[in-house]
Amino acid sequence: MNYRKVLVFWLPLALSWLLMTFEGLWIQGVIGRKPDAETQLAAFGLMFSLSVLIETPVIMLLATSNALSRDRQSFRVLWRFMMGVNIFVTALAILMAFTPLLDVYLGSLLNVPGHIIEATRPGMKIMILWGAFIGYRRFHQGVIIRQGNTRYIAYGTVLRALVSSGVAIWLGAITTIAGAVVGAIALILAMAAETLYTYTISRPDVKRLLDTPLAAGRRALTQRDALRFHLPLAATSVVTILASPVIERGLASMPDAAQSLAAWPVIFTILLIARSGGMAYQEVVISLNESEAHHRVLRNFTIRLGLALSLIMTCFAFTPALLVYQDAILRVPAHLHALVLLGAQAGIVLPLLTTLQSYLRALLMLSHRTGAIYTAIVIGFALTAATVWGGIGLGLHGILAASLGLTVGMTVELLHLYFSYRRGHAALRLHWQSTVAPSLGN
C-alpha cells in the first residue's frame, strides 16, 4: 500500500463524482439561455433536490453492496433487498408527481411561490423512475468497486455526461420546451443509459460472485442483516438531503425569495463539485483499509486530499474565475451574481470537511457500526437547521446563513464521527483480522 495505489484507485471514482456534479451545470447553462430563466432555474433546483430526497433510501446501496457482497449467497440476498428498496422509492415518486402531495410539500411546507410549483410539476412526472435506476446502478457499482475495477465507474459516468449534455443542448436549441422540463428529460435519459451500461459491464464481476460459495465458518447473510446494516445509512442519506428543503424553506421566507431560490441551486452545484472528490473517497477506504499499515497510508492521504480540495475551492471563489463561470458558462442573470459569490465564498471549508467525513464514515462501516453515522448526521442536521434559521432571524442573508449552516453542521457531525470511531477502534481491528485470515488459509 502506498499513496500512488490510493491515488490510482481514487481518481476514477473522483472523476465519476465530478462528472455527475457537472451534469447539473450544463443543464443550468441551457436553462439560463431560455425564456423565464429565473423561474425555470428555481423549478429545476426544486425538482432535482426533491428527486434526490426521494432516492435517498437507495443512495447507500453502493456502500452496502461494496461492504457485504462477498459470495453467491450474500449477493442474492442483497439483490432481493435492492429490488424491494427500488419499488418503494418508485411508489413514492409516483405519489409525489401525480397527487396533491407536491403542493403540500412545496407549498405548505416550503412556502414556495405558486408559479414555481407549477413549473416544477411536469419535471417530477418525467423523473418517476429516477430513483429505481439509481438504486440498480449503485448496487452493481458496489460489486464493480469491490473487485477493484473503478475505471469502469468513470466510463459509465462519461457516457451519462455525454447523453445528458447532448439531450439538454439539443432540446434547448431546437424546441420551446420549458427549461425545467428540458433538464428532467436530459437527466432521466442519461441515467437510463448509465444504468444499462453498468448492468452490462458488471456481468463478469457478478459471475465471479455467483461462482464463489459461502466460506466455511462464515455466517450466511440474511435480509435482517442487510436491513440492519443499510437502514442507518439510508436514514443518514435522508437526513442529509433534508438539509436542502430546510435551506429552501429559509430562502423562501426572504424578501428576495425568487432570487435566492434561483441562486441557491447554482451555489449548491459549485459546492458539490468542490466536494465531489471527498465524497468519492469513502469507497476507497472501504475497499483498501485492510490492515494497520493500510490504515496509516489512507489516514495521511485523507488529510492531504482534503486540504488540496479546499485550497482549489478557495482559489475559485476568491478570483475572477467564479465570475467567468457565472457569466460566460452558465449565463446566470447578472442580478444573481452577488448572491452566488456570497454563498461560494462562505463554503470554502466544506471540501475538507467532506473528505474527513467520508474517511470516518468508511471506518465505522468497516466496523459495522453504522448507527453511529446516523446519530452524527442527525446532530449535524439539527445544527444546520438552527444555524440557517437563527442566522436569518439575526439578520444574515439567507444565502450566507445556508453556507454557514452547512459548515457548522458538518463540523459538529465530524467531531461525533471521530469520537465514535475512537471508542470502537477495536472493532476495526477485528475487521482486519477477518480480512487477512481467509487469505492466509488459502
Side-chain angles (χ1 to χ4, degrees):
M1 172 66 67
N2 52 51
Y3 294 137
R4 183 180 181 278
K5 181 176 181 179
V6 178
L7 182 65
V8 169
F9 197 97
W10 168 77
L11 272 175
L13 299 177
L15 176 62
S16 177
W17 273 94
L18 188 62
L19 287 174
M20 283 191 291
T21 54
F22 270 119
E23 186 175 45
L25 293 183
W26 49 65
I27 291 175
Q28 289 170 359
V30 171
I31 296 173
R33 289 166 169 81
K34 291 184 72 66
D36 197 21
E38 183 176 292
T39 296
Q40 294 301 320
L41 280 170
F44 176 75
L46 290 168
M47 179 206 71
F48 186 77
S49 65
L50 180 52
S51 296
V52 172
L53 177 59
I54 292 170
E55 78 171 54
T56 47
V58 308
I59 291 176
M60 287 296 186
L61 281 172
L62 190 153
T64 299
S65 175
N66 187 359
L68 301 182
S69 290
R70 293 289 185 270
D71 46 48
R72 177 172 57 246
Q73 188 274 334
S74 59
F75 175 82
R76 287 174 172 170
V77 168
L78 291 170
W79 191 90
R80 291 192 295 270
F81 180 79
M82 175 268 296
M83 292 301 293
V85 178
N86 282 351
I87 291 171
F88 170 76
V89 298
T90 302
L92 186 57
I94 291 172
L95 288 174
M96 187 63 74
F98 292 97
T99 73
L101 192 58
L102 183 67
D103 299 278
V104 173
Y105 175 74
L106 292 181
S108 301
L109 293 181
L110 301 189
N111 199 30
V112 173
H115 69 285
I116 297 180
I117 296 176
E118 291 308 311
T120 305
R121 195 184 310 278
M124 292 302 304
K125 294 178 179 179
I126 295 169
M127 295 281 282
I128 58 173
L129 290 178
W130 168 266
F133 283 150
I134 289 179
Y136 197 85
R137 173 183 64 91
R138 289 184 71 80
F139 172 78
H140 287 86
Q141 283 180 334
V143 174
I144 294 171
I145 292 171
R146 188 68 220 175
Q147 300 298 321
N149 298 319
T150 56
R151 65 186 183 281
Y152 294 130
I153 306 300
Y155 297 159
T157 312
V158 170
L159 172 64
R160 172 178 165 183
L162 291 173
V163 173
S164 63
S165 60
V167 170
I169 293 171
W170 179 68
L171 290 177
I174 70 169
T175 74
T176 58
I177 298 174
V181 174
V182 169
I185 295 172
L187 288 175
I188 196 68
L189 291 180
M191 184 57 65
E194 188 187 9
T195 301
L196 179 60
Y197 165 84
T198 303
Y199 167 78
T200 303
I201 208 68
S202 68
R203 290 302 85 199
D205 294 329
V206 170
K207 186 178 185 302
R208 275 192 286 272
L209 281 177
L210 293 177
D211 290 341
T212 304
L214 181 66
R218 178 174 290 174
R219 189 173 69 86
L221 186 74
T222 66
Q223 290 286 333
R224 179 173 293 183
D225 295 330
L227 183 63
R228 186 181 299 115
F229 185 93
H230 184 77
L231 191 57
L233 299 181
T236 297
S237 297
V238 171
V239 176
T240 300
I241 300 302
L242 280 175
S244 289
V246 166
I247 290 171
E248 288 161 355
R249 180 65 178 84
L251 297 179
S253 68
M254 297 291 296
D256 60 346
Q259 291 82 4
S260 295
L261 287 170
W264 180 246
V266 179
I267 298 166
F268 190 77
T269 303
I270 292 171
L271 297 177
L272 201 58
I273 290 173
R275 297 167 58 200
S276 59
M279 292 175 176
Y281 193 60
Q282 177 176 288
E283 304 311 318
V284 178
V285 180
I286 291 175
S287 299
L288 299 183
N289 197 342
E290 297 180 347
S291 69
E292 185 73 47
H294 292 187
H295 179 74
R296 286 194 296 270
V297 173
L298 289 165
R299 179 189 60 205
N300 295 337
F301 189 90
T302 302
I303 297 170
R304 297 177 184 185
L305 175 63
L307 290 173
L309 294 176
S310 272
L311 178 60
I312 292 171
M313 177 64 189
T314 302
C315 292
F316 179 76
F318 286 90
T319 67
L322 180 55
L323 180 60
V324 172
Y325 164 76
Q326 291 189 77
D327 193 31
I329 299 177
L330 291 191
R331 295 286 180 89
V332 173
H335 63 284
L336 300 180
H337 285 186
L339 294 180
V340 174
L341 179 68
L342 179 65
Q345 291 180 347
I348 59 173
V349 185
L350 290 174
L352 171 61
L353 297 178
T354 300
T355 307
L356 296 173
Q357 181 189 76
S358 293
Y359 171 73
L360 290 172
R361 282 184 177 181
L363 296 182
L364 289 167
M365 288 181 200
L366 291 173
S367 305
H368 286 240
R369 302 181 64 242
T370 55
I373 300 173
Y374 172 69
T375 303
I377 192 62
V378 169
I379 295 171
F381 170 78
L383 282 171
T384 296
T387 304
V388 172
W389 284 90
I392 292 174
L394 292 173
L396 288 180
H397 192 281
I399 293 293
L400 178 59
S403 291
L404 291 178
L406 290 175
T407 302
V408 171
M410 287 186 65
T411 300
V412 177
E413 177 189 346
L414 189 63
L415 291 173
H416 188 277
L417 290 172
Y418 174 75
F419 289 116
S420 297
Y421 156 69
R422 294 304 304 173
R423 288 194 297 270
H425 187 64
L428 187 59
R429 294 182 183 276
L430 289 176
H431 163 75
W432 292 334
Q433 293 170 8
S434 67
T435 302
V436 173
S439 63
L440 294 177
N442 291 334

